[in-house]
Protein backbone atom coordinates (compact mmCIF):
# COMPACT_ATOMS: atom_id res chain seq x y z
CA UNK A 1 0.00 0.00 0.00
CA UNK A 2 1.17 3.54 -0.69
CA UNK A 3 2.17 6.05 1.96
CA UNK A 4 -1.01 8.09 1.45
CA UNK A 5 -3.24 5.04 1.88
CA UNK A 6 -1.26 3.92 4.95
CA UNK A 7 -1.54 7.40 6.45
CA UNK A 8 -5.28 7.46 5.76
CA UNK A 9 -5.61 4.02 7.33
CA UNK A 10 -3.64 5.05 10.41
CA UNK A 11 -5.81 8.13 10.85
CA UNK A 12 -9.01 6.15 10.41
CA UNK A 13 -7.83 3.54 12.93
CA UNK A 14 -6.82 6.13 15.52
CA UNK A 15 -9.95 8.22 15.10
CA UNK A 16 -12.38 5.30 15.35
CA UNK A 17 -10.58 3.51 18.18
CA UNK A 18 -10.19 6.69 20.20
CA UNK A 19 -13.87 7.54 19.89
CA UNK A 20 -15.31 4.09 20.50
CA UNK A 21 -12.41 1.99 21.72
CA UNK A 22 -10.76 -0.92 19.87
CA UNK A 23 -13.86 -3.12 20.18
CA UNK A 24 -14.77 -5.93 17.80
CA UNK A 25 -17.56 -3.92 16.15
CA UNK A 26 -15.19 -1.02 15.47
CA UNK A 27 -12.46 -3.33 14.15
CA UNK A 28 -14.94 -5.09 11.81
CA UNK A 29 -16.13 -1.75 10.46
CA UNK A 30 -12.53 -0.63 9.88
CA UNK A 31 -11.70 -3.95 8.17
CA UNK A 32 -14.51 -3.27 5.67
CA UNK A 33 -13.24 0.27 5.06
CA UNK A 34 -9.59 -0.75 4.81
CA UNK A 35 -9.85 -3.61 2.33
CA UNK A 36 -6.29 -4.83 2.72
CA UNK A 37 -6.47 -5.31 6.54
CA UNK A 38 -8.30 -7.77 8.77
CA UNK A 39 -9.53 -7.10 12.32
CA UNK A 40 -6.43 -8.56 13.98
CA UNK A 41 -4.10 -6.48 11.80
CA UNK A 42 -6.08 -3.34 12.58
CA UNK A 43 -5.96 -3.99 16.33
CA UNK A 44 -2.21 -4.68 16.13
CA UNK A 45 -1.68 -1.48 14.15
CA UNK A 46 -3.72 0.53 16.66
CA UNK A 47 -1.58 -0.79 19.53
CA UNK A 48 1.58 -0.04 17.54
CA UNK A 49 0.41 3.51 16.80
CA UNK A 50 -0.32 4.13 20.49
CA UNK A 51 3.18 2.91 21.42
CA UNK A 52 4.72 5.13 18.73
CA UNK A 53 2.77 8.15 19.95
CA UNK A 54 3.83 7.54 23.56
CA UNK A 55 7.44 7.16 22.47
CA UNK A 56 7.25 10.39 20.45
CA UNK A 57 5.65 12.21 23.39
CA UNK A 58 8.41 11.00 25.72
CA UNK A 59 11.09 12.06 23.22
CA UNK A 60 9.48 15.51 22.94
CA UNK A 61 9.44 15.88 26.73
CA UNK A 62 13.09 14.87 26.94
CA UNK A 63 14.04 17.30 24.18
CA UNK A 64 12.16 20.11 25.92
CA UNK A 65 13.89 19.28 29.20
CA UNK A 66 17.33 19.26 27.54
CA UNK A 67 16.59 22.61 25.87
CA UNK A 68 15.48 24.08 29.20
CA UNK A 69 18.66 22.85 30.90
CA UNK A 70 20.75 24.26 28.03
CA UNK A 71 19.07 27.68 28.35
CA UNK A 72 19.52 27.65 32.13
CA UNK A 73 23.23 26.85 31.71
CA UNK A 74 23.63 29.65 29.17
CA UNK A 75 21.86 32.15 31.40
CA UNK A 76 23.90 31.21 34.45
CA UNK A 77 27.17 31.52 32.50
CA UNK A 78 26.13 34.94 31.14
CA UNK A 79 24.98 36.33 34.48
CA UNK A 80 27.79 37.54 36.70
CA UNK A 81 27.76 36.05 40.16
CA UNK A 82 25.75 38.04 42.67
CA UNK A 83 27.80 40.23 44.94
CA UNK A 84 27.71 39.20 48.56
CA UNK A 85 26.52 41.92 50.90
CA UNK A 86 29.37 43.58 52.73
CA UNK A 87 29.38 43.11 56.45
CA UNK A 88 29.87 46.28 58.41
CA UNK A 89 33.13 46.43 60.23
CA UNK A 90 33.29 47.71 63.78
CA UNK A 91 34.82 50.98 62.61
CA UNK A 92 31.81 51.51 60.32
CA UNK A 93 29.36 50.91 63.17
CA UNK A 94 27.58 53.91 64.52
CA UNK A 95 29.17 55.21 67.69
CA UNK A 96 27.02 55.18 70.76
CA UNK A 97 25.84 58.62 71.76
CA UNK A 98 26.44 60.23 75.11
CA UNK A 99 24.93 58.28 77.89
CA UNK A 100 22.26 59.90 79.88
CA UNK A 101 22.92 58.58 83.29
CA UNK A 102 21.79 60.41 86.37
Amino acid sequence: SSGINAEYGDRAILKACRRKGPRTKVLKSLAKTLDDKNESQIKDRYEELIKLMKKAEQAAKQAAYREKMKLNAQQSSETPPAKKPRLESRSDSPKPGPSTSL
Side-chain angles (χ1 to χ4, degrees):
S1 74
S2 74
I4 294 172
N5 288 338
E7 185 178 333
Y8 168 78
D10 288 349
R11 285 178 189 228
I13 290 168
L14 284 171
K15 188 175 179 181
C17 290
R18 280 187 168 168
R19 266 191 293 146
K20 301 176 182 178
R23 298 186 299 221
T24 304
K25 185 177 181 179
V26 174
L27 299 174
K28 281 183 182 182
S29 174
L30 285 166
K32 289 178 184 174
T33 304
L34 307 171
D35 296 329
D36 59 336
K37 304 284 183 204
N38 63 39
E39 294 169 43
S40 178
Q41 290 171 317
I42 291 172
K43 185 175 181 182
D44 290 346
R45 181 63 180 159
Y46 172 70
E47 290 170 357
E48 184 180 354
L49 290 169
I50 294 300
K51 286 179 187 176
L52 288 170
M53 287 176 24
K54 285 180 181 179
K55 189 184 264 188
E57 183 180 332
Q58 185 64 30
K61 285 180 182 179
Q62 289 174 349
Y65 177 78
R66 283 192 301 271
E67 186 64 25
K68 182 179 177 182
M69 294 289 96
K70 182 179 173 183
L71 288 174
N72 286 344
Q74 287 175 348
Q75 288 174 349
S76 65
S77 68
E78 292 171 0
T79 306
K83 292 183 180 179
K84 293 183 181 178
R86 233 180 68 200
L87 297 177
E88 291 184 22
S89 67
R90 290 185 184 232
S91 63
D92 292 344
S93 299
K95 308 252 188 255
S99 65
T100 54
S101 56
L102 292 174

